[in-house]
Amino acid sequence: MNTIAIVDYGMGNFHSVARALQAAAPGHDICIARDATAIDAAERVVFPGQGAMPDCMHTLEASGLRAAVLRAARDKPLLGVCVGEQMLFTRSDEGDTPGLGIFPGTVRRFAGPAFDAAEGGEARLKVPHMGWNPVHQTQAHPLWEGIAQDTPFYFVHSYYALPDDPALVAGTSRHGVEFCCAIAAGNIFAVQFHPEKSAEPGLRMYRNFARWRP
């Protein structure tokens, strides 16, 4: 039986991801991996994250799983989710935090005129960005299979990745500004939204990941 390891370093929605994967890929062994051996042994890896980037990076280091995640990123199908996507980049403006450096780029906070306070002191758009937003697929990819263009997915975030290489961008969305919400390169696909909170389209993405052979 093929194994999908969900990296549990203490800062992610691991059980929700596991339930979604169990529903989407019943023929796979879904493992919440708390040690490097389980990650190394898995056929494919999901790398989730939630909360503040400094806390996520600190907890990943403390868990002893950083090296196993980097090994998985070299040659296994790997799906990053939410802060798990942000952690793949060079650094984040959130706490000026270094990331894993797999991809060159910066994680930026939503800012600009659309977020400035209007007359009366109310912000035009709120941060964090929470709720359903259409995702525009900017390149074909097996993880988009069966998911219609501009399908809404569920977001909860204040920061978004800005890759140095535009060719990494696999999907965009809009909250005041257009922002990258999905990246793809080789054996890695990563998204800012939460597939496990995105109903049938999210389950379809997990099903596609379970079948994906990059």
Side-chain angles (χ1 to χ4, degrees):
M1 181 180 288
N2 295 326
T3 300
I4 302 175
I6 303 165
V7 183
D8 179 2
Y9 56 97
M11 293 291 292
N13 205 10
F14 312 106
H15 294 290
S16 293
V17 173
R19 286 193 295 271
L21 279 166
Q22 286 160 358
H28 287 67
D29 178 22
I30 311 303
C31 165
I32 297 180
R34 299 182 176 92
D35 61 74
T37 302
I39 297 170
D40 291 339
E43 182 194 40
R44 54 195 68 228
V45 174
V46 178
F47 182 46
Q50 66 181 16
M53 178 79 158
D55 295 338
C56 286
M57 286 303 302
H58 173 78
T59 307
L60 179 64
E61 294 280 359
S63 73
L65 299 180
R66 177 183 177 131
V69 171
L70 290 173
R71 285 194 297 272
R74 286 199 295 268
D75 57 16
K76 295 180 190 286
L78 184 143
L79 176 62
V81 177
C82 196
V83 181
E85 180 214 29
Q86 297 177 12
M87 293 166 76
L88 303 178
F89 287 90
T90 310
R91 60 174 291 277
S92 173
D93 287 348
E94 188 173 18
D96 193 22
T97 305
L100 293 172
I102 294 169
F103 299 119
T106 305
V107 177
R108 297 275 171 84
R109 183 177 171 86
F110 284 111
F115 303 93
D116 294 340
E119 294 278 336
E122 286 293 322
R124 293 183 175 90
L125 286 174
K126 295 189 181 300
V127 179
H129 167 221
M130 297 178 64
W132 295 83
N133 248 43
V135 170
H136 188 78
Q137 301 163 26
T138 58
Q139 59 172 282
H141 194 279
L143 265 72
W144 293 132
E145 184 181 345
I147 299 172
Q149 184 67 283
D150 299 320
T151 291
F153 284 84
Y154 191 80
F155 291 81
V156 182
H157 64 126
S158 300
Y159 293 79
Y160 62 92
L162 185 62
D164 286 357
D165 182 1
L168 278 176
V169 179
T172 61
S173 193
R174 174 168 285 276
H175 182 63
V177 296
E178 185 177 54
F179 65 93
C180 168
C181 69
I183 61 167
N187 59 299
I188 298 174
F189 193 88
V191 296
Q192 178 61 64
F193 51 81
H194 289 272
E196 70 280 1
K197 298 180 180 179
S198 298
E200 180 53 37
L203 291 179
R204 181 60 191 248
M205 177 164 284
Y206 280 136
R207 192 175 305 122
N208 290 342
F209 175 68
R211 297 170 178 166
W212 180 36
R213 299 200 175 276

